[in-house]
Amino acid sequence: MKKIQLSNKQITIFLHVLFWITVLILPLFFGNREGQYLKVGGLPASFFLVSGVICILLFYTNAYILYPKICNKRYWWLYLLCLVLLFAGFNYLKVFILKNWYPQIDIFGLNAPFIFAPTFFALLTSTAYRFIANRIQAEKMLRIGESEKLAMELKFLRSQINPHFLFNVLSSLVSLARKKSDRLEPSLILLSDMMRYMIYDSNDKKVSLESEVTYLESYIALQQLRFDDSVPINASLELDSSSDHLLIEPMLLIPFVENAFKHGTGWINGPAIKIHLRVESKILVFNVENRFNGTDTQKDTAGGIGLVNVKSRLNLLYPGRHQLTSSIERNTFIVHLRIQLQ
């Protein structure tokens, strides 16, 4: 059986119709029969139906014509004047109907509240309805605007990753080429796999944590081919079966590793790099350490465009769901990251 899908507009129309049918019919259940006529209070039930239709016209005249056109800070006085005129005009219409259709009804006696009060409440509720509807629409547009802004910022941040990454990796390959190293070919194969991930997989909003870790492993392997044993690299990227369904923003972790190799190699006494990743109850724990030149702390702690980029992405994508800290201990730069994944 095919399910019927209703749009928001159709649901709104249905709710409005249901509400007004209830308003028109409900008073009839409290009426009492006098001879051949059903009365609600001292008024004929037929007049309550006519009055209800008048209130419906008043409601939508105010909510969809009057309020949207002139209810603003500049013309508020004109809007109030129009409300008074609407109130007077529609009540005059009721009095006219009563005098011509029900001349026996006492208009300004005990029946007056039942005649004039519905007009007032129709105006009041229509104004409140339009005000609330406008607020909801404004908040919705604000959320849409914020989402579009977020998408544009993320697109911009992602666009910065590829040139930065390529610059670092190509520098590594140039170094191997100058040495005429037999490691150049496997390095190019690793780079090919990484480029495939960057071009195709990283276009998705989220990728599997396993794919991101595989990418990190390829990058680390590429650097190991480059430095051989001259730079001790201690890498431990641990995933278990509980991590299979976890997703992460693509290319999020690589800047930390790039930064470690950028500032943890070169003219450094006893270079060493440690990279550890594990998952604990959907919480990703990622630690990166690298030794650096003790006279160049500012350069390392700044981290360049890569770390600035990833901090912005973390704030946009995981607000309140991540912890990022960095510290320096005995010429060792340490980054600690925790992310609550889903």
Side-chain angles (χ1 to χ4, degrees):
M1 183 176 180
K2 188 176 180 180
K3 293 183 179 180
I4 300 176
Q5 297 288 341
L6 297 178
S7 65
N8 291 336
K9 185 177 180 180
Q10 290 173 323
I11 293 174
T12 300
I13 293 173
F14 172 77
L15 292 176
H16 278 241
V17 172
L18 182 63
F19 172 79
W20 288 116
I21 289 176
T22 304
V23 169
L24 293 174
I25 294 178
L26 189 61
L28 302 181
F29 290 96
F30 299 95
N32 53 78
R33 185 169 295 278
E34 295 182 7
Q36 297 180 350
Y37 300 99
L38 179 65
K39 287 189 174 183
V40 180
L43 297 171
S46 57
F47 174 76
F48 265 92
L49 294 176
V50 173
S51 177
V53 172
I54 292 174
C55 287
I56 292 173
L57 293 175
L58 177 60
F59 181 94
Y60 290 106
T61 299
N62 179 42
Y64 287 92
I65 299 177
L66 190 60
Y67 189 102
K69 296 292 185 182
I70 61 175
C71 184
N72 53 56
K73 293 181 179 180
R74 184 175 180 181
Y75 295 109
W76 63 269
W77 57 270
L78 181 59
Y79 177 67
L80 291 179
L81 178 61
C82 290
L83 288 182
V84 173
L85 293 176
L86 275 179
F87 181 77
F90 277 85
N91 277 330
Y92 176 80
L93 178 60
K94 288 185 179 182
V95 172
F96 178 82
I97 292 173
L98 283 169
K99 286 184 176 180
N100 288 273
W101 296 4
Y102 310 98
Q104 75 280 8
I105 299 298
D106 180 16
I107 298 176
F108 299 101
L110 296 176
N111 294 320
F114 297 98
I115 297 172
F116 303 115
T119 310
F120 173 78
F121 284 110
L123 278 176
L124 182 64
T125 54
S126 64
T127 302
Y129 166 79
R130 187 72 267 167
F131 175 79
I132 295 172
N134 285 356
R135 288 292 298 272
I136 293 174
Q137 181 66 19
E139 291 177 0
K140 180 180 178 181
M141 295 304 296
L142 180 62
R143 288 195 297 270
I144 292 174
E146 289 176 347
S147 298
E148 291 177 350
K149 181 181 177 182
L150 174 62
M152 291 180 64
E153 288 180 357
L154 289 176
K155 185 176 180 180
F156 172 72
L157 291 173
R158 283 187 179 184
S159 69
Q160 292 181 315
I161 294 173
N162 293 358
H164 181 62
F165 164 79
L166 288 175
F167 177 81
N168 289 340
V169 172
L170 289 176
S171 296
S172 301
L173 295 179
V174 168
S175 176
L176 291 176
R178 286 174 177 173
K179 296 176 182 178
K180 297 182 180 180
S181 171
D182 56 1
R183 295 186 176 89
L184 180 60
E185 182 178 349
S187 297
L188 288 172
I189 295 174
L190 284 173
L191 178 60
S192 175
D193 293 337
M194 295 170 68
M195 291 295 295
R196 187 180 298 110
Y197 176 81
M198 290 172 56
I199 294 173
Y200 298 106
D201 296 342
S202 65
N203 287 326
D204 298 330
K205 291 183 178 180
K206 290 287 193 299
V207 296
S208 68
L209 181 59
E210 182 180 4
S211 298
E212 184 75 0
V213 169
T214 299
Y215 176 76
L216 288 178
E217 290 173 339
S218 297
Y219 181 87
I220 295 170
L222 184 63
Q223 297 294 356
Q224 286 175 325
L225 287 172
R226 174 190 173 188
F227 292 108
D228 199 5
D229 296 329
S230 61
V231 178
I233 301 172
N234 183 347
S236 174
L237 308 179
E238 301 175 2
L239 292 179
D240 53 31
S241 58
S242 63
S243 307
D244 294 342
H245 64 285
L246 295 180
L247 301 177
I248 191 172
E249 168 75 9
M251 307 290 293
L252 187 66
L253 305 178
I254 188 64
F256 299 108
V257 180
E258 282 187 311
N259 188 71
F261 281 99
K262 179 180 179 181
H263 300 294
T265 58
W267 300 100
I268 296 174
N269 294 326
I273 295 174
K274 297 181 180 180
I275 303 166
H276 296 283
L277 180 148
R278 67 183 188 277
V279 178
E280 302 172 351
S281 302
K282 296 186 178 181
I283 297 178
L284 172 69
V285 181
F286 189 54
N287 296 295
V288 180
E289 301 180 15
N290 66 276
R291 292 181 184 173
F292 65 95
N293 187 340
T295 62
D296 193 20
T297 60
Q298 184 176 0
K299 179 180 179 181
D300 196 86
T301 54
I305 188 174
L307 292 190
V308 173
N309 186 323
V310 77
K311 288 177 181 177
S312 298
R313 295 172 72 202
L314 283 168
N315 290 330
L316 288 170
L317 293 163
Y318 301 97
R321 294 168 47 204
H322 78 279
Q323 295 177 350
L324 176 62
T325 60
S326 60
S327 60
I328 295 177
E329 297 179 7
R330 298 180 181 178
N331 290 350
T332 299
F333 182 61
I334 304 172
V335 172
H336 178 72
L337 174 65
R338 293 172 63 91
I339 305 177
Q340 177 67 56
L341 300 176
Q342 294 178 342

